Amino acid sequence: MSNQLLRNSLKLAVAVFVTATIAVWTERIEFVWYPVLAAIIVVDDNDDQTISAATARILGTVMGGLITFLVHTMLSGWIGVLVSLVLMIPILQALGWQSALGTAGITSIMFLMIPSHVALNWNYVFNRALDTVVGCVVAILVGLLFWPRDSYRELNAADQRLRNALLNQLRHYSAWLHDQQQRPTPLNPAPLTTDLLRMEQLVGHERGGPRQRLLRRNQWEQRLRLWQLAQFHWISWERLLQSLPEQEAQQIELIRHSVLALEQQLAAIPSPTPRRNPRLWQQLAEQQRLPLLPLLALGEELRPLHACLGGLNRLAPQ
């Protein structure tokens, strides 16, 4: 079981337990289903998402209860529910609360569980809304107090994992080119893609969150774009390098210099990207009797990869 899955499971269990305890303590166990359902729906692995879900849940419950109550003063049963649902859609859209539509609809349907529609009064609507608020507040507090999520710590950790993966692979290539180890296997792109997708998700959350200034100050959007480009060019460059015969590739000084330059870009002081010089690769193909097109493609992929790694070095967290 992963740490994230364990964290989410514990957070959900604690939120439900605390919510049920409050219902028992306040002697509202008869309607414990309302706050527990609210806590389950609201709990999310991202704190910003939890707050958004809680807001939609509360607004949906209040508006659903209010509209259903007003309609049931004139209509009852399934006819009342149908009219309530028809009225909810334009009202919530006009208010800009589309995210609360699902909860409002469920609330309207749940009122059919009441034995007598006479019991559907202002007091009932207020108490059910209060139950929902309790479940939402418990879910938010459990997430923020016990398992707070630090998006920027996750971003830095993902950034560091990507750097280490590429840097270690470049060191393996350097050792191979100096005949100190066997030819390294290309990096598996799946872990790289997983980290990039997580970084993209976190940057998207923070872009619309309260800490968006910190996001801009640390230039995370630029770093994310550089990592996306670096991954694309890295996979292409590594595949082209693997297509060259092992014995010939080990003896090519130009490839050794290229690997060393990439390693320095990521680990040391970045240098300007070298100019395009296809003549060098043409001469290499003639001297080593190697296919020309893969060598030219290797040289072309080297330049943008070199530039991306240099940019990531300059934007590295201090």
Side-chain angles (χ1 to χ4, degrees):
M1 180 180 292
S2 64
N3 292 334
Q4 183 175 350
L5 180 59
L6 179 61
R7 171 186 181 274
N8 295 339
S9 300
L10 289 175
K11 185 164 67 171
L12 178 61
V14 172
V16 171
F17 176 78
V18 173
T19 302
T21 302
I22 293 175
V24 173
W25 179 63
T26 56
E27 297 182 353
R28 300 168 72 92
I29 191 64
E30 181 181 358
F31 301 103
V32 70
W33 188 81
Y34 289 89
V36 168
L37 179 63
I40 292 174
I41 294 178
V42 166
V43 168
D44 192 270
D45 64 339
N46 182 275
D47 297 329
D48 293 335
Q49 292 288 81
T50 297
I51 296 174
S52 300
T55 303
R57 179 74 180 168
I58 294 172
L59 291 176
T61 302
V62 173
M63 291 303 298
L66 178 62
I67 294 173
T68 304
F69 168 71
L70 293 176
V71 171
H72 274 65
T73 58
M74 298 175 288
L75 302 172
S76 62
W78 283 106
I79 300 299
V81 171
L82 178 61
V83 173
S84 301
L85 293 175
V86 171
L87 293 176
M88 283 177 195
I89 297 175
I91 292 176
L92 292 177
Q93 286 183 342
L95 295 174
W97 295 347
Q98 290 89 339
S99 59
L101 181 59
T103 303
I106 293 175
T107 301
S108 178
I109 294 174
M110 285 193 306
F111 283 136
L112 290 174
M113 299 165 56
I114 303 174
S116 173
H117 292 290
V118 178
L120 181 57
N121 51 30
W122 287 109
N123 183 60
Y124 187 88
V125 173
F126 172 79
N127 279 283
R128 299 299 72 76
L130 181 61
D131 290 335
T132 301
V133 170
V134 169
C136 294
V137 170
V138 170
I140 294 174
L141 291 179
V142 168
L144 295 179
L145 296 180
F146 295 97
W147 287 281
R149 178 176 291 282
D150 190 344
S151 296
Y152 290 96
R153 183 178 61 185
E154 282 196 50
L155 283 170
N156 285 319
D159 183 279
Q160 192 61 46
R161 284 194 299 270
L162 291 170
R163 290 176 187 273
N164 291 338
L166 268 58
L167 187 57
N168 290 336
Q169 186 73 346
L170 287 170
R171 289 170 178 168
H172 290 318
Y173 275 119
S174 180
W176 165 63
L177 292 171
H178 288 86
D179 203 18
Q180 296 175 357
Q181 70 171 54
Q182 294 181 348
R183 189 173 196 167
T185 304
L187 285 178
N188 182 5
L192 304 180
T193 303
T194 299
D195 280 329
L196 281 176
L197 290 176
R198 184 56 181 163
M199 289 176 67
E200 184 177 0
Q201 182 183 25
L202 292 172
V203 168
H205 287 323
E206 294 299 327
R207 187 185 293 118
R211 297 182 293 179
Q212 53 184 290
R213 291 185 178 179
L214 181 60
L215 186 78
R216 291 194 295 267
R217 186 166 63 248
N218 291 332
Q219 298 178 295
W220 272 112
E221 292 185 344
Q222 294 88 334
R223 287 154 70 175
L224 176 61
R225 285 195 291 269
L226 283 174
W227 271 123
Q228 291 169 337
L229 289 172
Q231 185 205 26
F232 172 78
H233 292 296
W234 171 273
I235 293 174
S236 300
W237 175 81
E238 198 170 23
R239 287 177 178 174
L240 290 168
L241 183 58
Q242 288 290 324
S243 68
L244 298 177
E246 183 172 357
Q247 296 297 328
E248 287 79 357
Q250 281 184 300
Q251 299 172 7
I252 298 175
E253 186 64 29
L254 186 56
I255 294 181
R256 292 182 185 177
H257 177 74
S258 301
V259 171
L260 178 61
L262 292 177
E263 184 179 345
Q264 289 178 344
Q265 282 292 90
L266 200 57
I269 300 175
S271 59
T273 301
R275 295 182 178 180
R276 181 180 288 105
N277 193 349
R279 184 57 186 168
L280 289 177
W281 298 99
Q282 292 174 1
Q283 293 174 354
L284 178 61
E286 294 173 0
Q287 294 171 1
Q288 300 293 333
R289 295 183 179 180
L290 294 172
L292 176 59
L293 291 180
L295 286 176
L296 290 175
L298 185 67
E300 287 299 314
E301 288 294 343
L302 176 65
R303 297 184 68 255
L305 179 58
H306 187 279
C308 289
L309 296 184
L312 288 168
N313 195 325
R314 287 187 289 269
L315 295 178
Q318 305 297 327

